[in-house]
Amino acid sequence: MSSILVSQDAGVLAITLNRPDKLNAFNPEMHQLLRKALERAADEHEVRAVLLTGAGRGFCAGQDLAERNVEPGAAPLDLSVSIGSHYNPLVRRMHALPKPIVCAVNGVAAGAGANIALACDLVLAARSASFIQAFSKIGLVPDSGGSYFLPRLVGTARAMGLALLAEPLCAEDAERWGLVWKVFDDGELLEQAGQIAARLAAGPTKGYGLLKKAMYESAGNSLDAQLDLERDLQREAGFSEDYREGVSAFMKKRKPAFKGK
Ligand code: LHQ
């Protein structure tokens, strides 16, 4: 059984984390297949949006801890190795992908699993889903971008509460706190997420890629630098075929037919 399922339909590359008996905890194979799927999303023009979800009752329980267990007397593990070779490149790849990634958090998202959800561009959650910064329970620090995303999304007080106490945050609170875009009833999540991803896949892909860059670079920019960046990105967006199509469709009061170029 492959630890990642990938399918493509109408411009959407659907990626399902598929180790349901381990709540889709990450192992090296899963990292490798996820990397390949994201490379495909980046390389193929026909892929214009990504939909990420998990099989079974969980979204992702983070690192498979069975592979990080240190027996008494054994030498300590250097965790920076897997962070450097797997988790950091994954988060960087997701952020840099010039196409939208929709995440359908179908159940519990813990540790790196929670933060990989937050690294997606549009996070949707099932009403029964929860988010757990599980790291401190095992003496670790939030990784996979958690210490970057959390304070920016919810403020330092809530980020510290989540990280120190490692208690589950229910989907409705996550929505109220601004960690996720929308919560759907469990039975509706996948259909709604699929519709949203399909809508994005039919959109002005190039503009979406530039939009991601604008939003994500703003965190480290002054207003001056950000205004300059917006100017430069808008120049590029304005040269796109989809901009022409968007304005022409508006003027003619018809639906635009974007090509993602
Ligand atoms: C798991 C896991 C799991 C293995 C559930 N591993 N089996 C990066 C780089 C290097 C090193 C370290 O870490 C990192 C980043 C990280 O992600 S650190 C954080 C790792 N994750 C966690 O600490 C979460 C561990 N899991 C849990 O706390 C619970 O499973 C949660 C709260 C997610 C769900 O609880 P329950 O709904 O009660 O389910 P469960 O605990 O019964 O889990 C179901 C099965 O999944 C169970 O297996 P079993 O064979 O007994 O049915 C668990 O052992 C397995 N599982 N998470 N991370």
Side-chain angles (χ1 to χ4, degrees), residues 21-23 57 61-65 82 87 112 132 134-135 143:
D21 53 329
K22 299 287 172 207
L23 300 178
R57 73 177 176 91
Q63 168 65 37
D64 187 325
L65 292 174
S82 65
Y87 291 93
I132 313 176
F135 308 89
D143 64 22

Side-chain angles (χ1 to χ4, degrees), residues 7-15 48-53 100-105 122 124-125 184 186-202:
S7 63
Q8 191 176 330
D9 184 32
V12 177
L13 192 75
I15 304 174
R48 290 170 60 188
V50 172
L51 174 58
L52 179 67
T53 192
I101 307 180
V102 177
C103 188
V105 183
L122 199 64
L124 314 172
F184 293 102
D186 288 19
E188 286 181 14
L189 175 73
L190 267 191
E191 198 190 324
Q192 293 286 344
Q195 280 178 20
I196 290 170
R199 184 177 134 195
L200 291 171

Side-chain angles (χ1 to χ4, degrees), residues 153-215:
L153 288 168
V154 301
T156 307
R158 283 174 163 169
M160 287 299 274
L162 291 172
L164 284 172
L165 302 176
E167 288 168 358
L169 183 73
C170 71
E172 282 168 5
D173 283 346
E175 184 188 45
R176 249 192 306 278
W177 286 18
L179 276 177
V180 311
W181 168 241
K182 264 185 194 160
V183 171
F184 293 102
D185 288 338
D186 288 19
E188 286 181 14
L189 175 73
L190 267 191
E191 198 190 324
Q192 293 286 344
Q195 280 178 20
I196 290 170
R199 184 177 134 195
L200 291 171
T205 314
K206 195 160 184 199
Y208 290 154
L210 298 170
L211 173 164
K212 273 182 75 161
K213 203 172 161 65
M215 290 293 182

